[in-house]
């Protein structure tokens, strides 16, 4: 499942790639190669402005970790960074967002850890970076939600919290040895339908939960440094070779 990701694409490039019509340069985030839960990321979504006839595609900075509208506090966010595709249409925490508040998270790729048995002691966690083989941004399917902070007025800067979660599905063959789940990623041909807030029948929207055919992804062993959020640089996504007792381990 997706617990960390890299997002270093320029907002201007995301705007062009996803046909974004509205974005605020003041919301621009610094590139990050180690985004962790409860941190913010740039997300593509569509909203119908009040009085408008058509939804507008926007680029927004949202916080990772979905907080349902009915939550008493935002503390649940860290537990809701992923939503399973097989139950997202029926789980109370996600079903409203799945019906009409779907979004896309453009990333360089995401990190996954494989449990590797050790000769002595506890098993080791080996990190990998998953990205598109063609180098294009990976468009992860997501959901977003609005949460009202009733401890302050609605027009207060902290009056509303907008959060998102990443939809996951069964891992394809390349990734299954590392983890049995993977984020659901989208091909350009499905961007419009996934973002369309007018496609609000859950059973109809479920047809969008089919991942692209296998073969589009690349799996790269990377440095254990990614395990600490204090480390944040482009080198985290680069291939890593471990040398131990004279033996090179890939």
């Amino acid at each position: 499942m997706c617990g960390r990701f890299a997002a270093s694409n320029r907002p201007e490039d995301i705007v062009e790639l996803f046909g974004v019509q509205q974005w605020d340069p003041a919301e621009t985030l610094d590139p990050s190669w180690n985004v962790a839960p409860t941190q913010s990321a740039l997300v593509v979504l569509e909203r119908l402005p009040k009085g408008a006839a058509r939804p507008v595609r926007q680029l927004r900075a949202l916080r990772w970790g979905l907080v349902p509208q009915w939550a008493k506090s935002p503390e649940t966010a860290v537990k809701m960074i992923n939503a399973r595709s097989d139950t997202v249409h029926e789980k109370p925490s996600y079903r409203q967002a799945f019906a009409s508040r779907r979004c896309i998270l453009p990333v360089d790729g995401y990190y996954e850890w494989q449990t590797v048995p050790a000769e002595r002691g506890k098993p080791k966690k080996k990190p990998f970076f998953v990205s598109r083989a063609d180098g294009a941004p990976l468009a992860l399917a997501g959901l977003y939600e609005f949460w009202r902070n009733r401890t302050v007025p609605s027009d207060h800067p902290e009056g509303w919290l907008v959060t998102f979660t990443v939809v996951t599905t069964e891992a394809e063959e390349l990734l299954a040895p590392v983890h049995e789940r993977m984020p659901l990623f989208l091909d350009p041909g499905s961007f419009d339908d996934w973002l369309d807030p007018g496609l609000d029948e859950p059973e109809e929207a479920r047809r969008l939960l089919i991942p692209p055919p296998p073969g589009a992804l690349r799996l790269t062993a990377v440095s254990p440094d990614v395990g600490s959020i204090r480390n944040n640089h482009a080198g985290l996504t680069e291939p890593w070779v471990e040398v131990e007792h004279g033996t090179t381990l890939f």
Side-chain angles (χ1 to χ4, degrees), residues 179-214:
H179 198 283
E180 71 274 11
R181 305 286 297 179
M182 71 174 192
L184 175 67
F185 69 100
L186 306 171
D187 275 343
S190 59
F191 289 173
D192 290 348
D193 285 344
W194 182 259
L195 294 174
D196 183 6
L199 202 167
D200 56 5
E201 288 293 335
E203 288 303 317
E204 185 178 357
R206 287 182 67 187
R207 66 179 173 81
L208 304 175
L209 295 171
I210 300 175

Side-chain angles (χ1 to χ4, degrees), residues 6 8 14 24 33 35-36 54 59 67 86 91 117 172 219 230:
S8 67
I14 298 175
D24 182 359
W33 292 270
V35 182
R54 296 180 179 179
L59 183 64
V67 179
D86 48 332
K91 290 288 186 180
E172 60 181 64
L219 184 66
R230 291 176 293 183

Side-chain angles (χ1 to χ4, degrees), residues 47-74:
R47 296 281 295 170
L48 184 65
K50 188 175 181 179
R54 296 180 179 179
V56 175
R57 187 164 298 183
Q58 307 171 29
L59 183 64
R60 300 282 301 276
L62 309 186
R63 200 177 81 166
W64 188 19
L66 191 136
V67 179
Q69 292 181 355
W70 43 262
K72 293 183 179 180
S73 80

Side-chain angles (χ1 to χ4, degrees), residues 209-225:
L209 295 171
I210 300 175
L217 300 178
R218 174 173 54 202
L219 184 66
T220 305
V222 294
S223 168
D225 289 349

Side-chain angles (χ1 to χ4, degrees), residues 78-99:
V78 72
K79 300 179 181 179
M80 300 180 66
I81 60 172
N82 294 145
R84 293 179 63 96
S85 61
D86 48 332
T87 58
V88 71
H89 65 291
E90 58 187 11
K91 290 288 186 180
S93 298
Y94 304 118
R95 61 190 180 194
Q96 291 185 358
F98 175 65

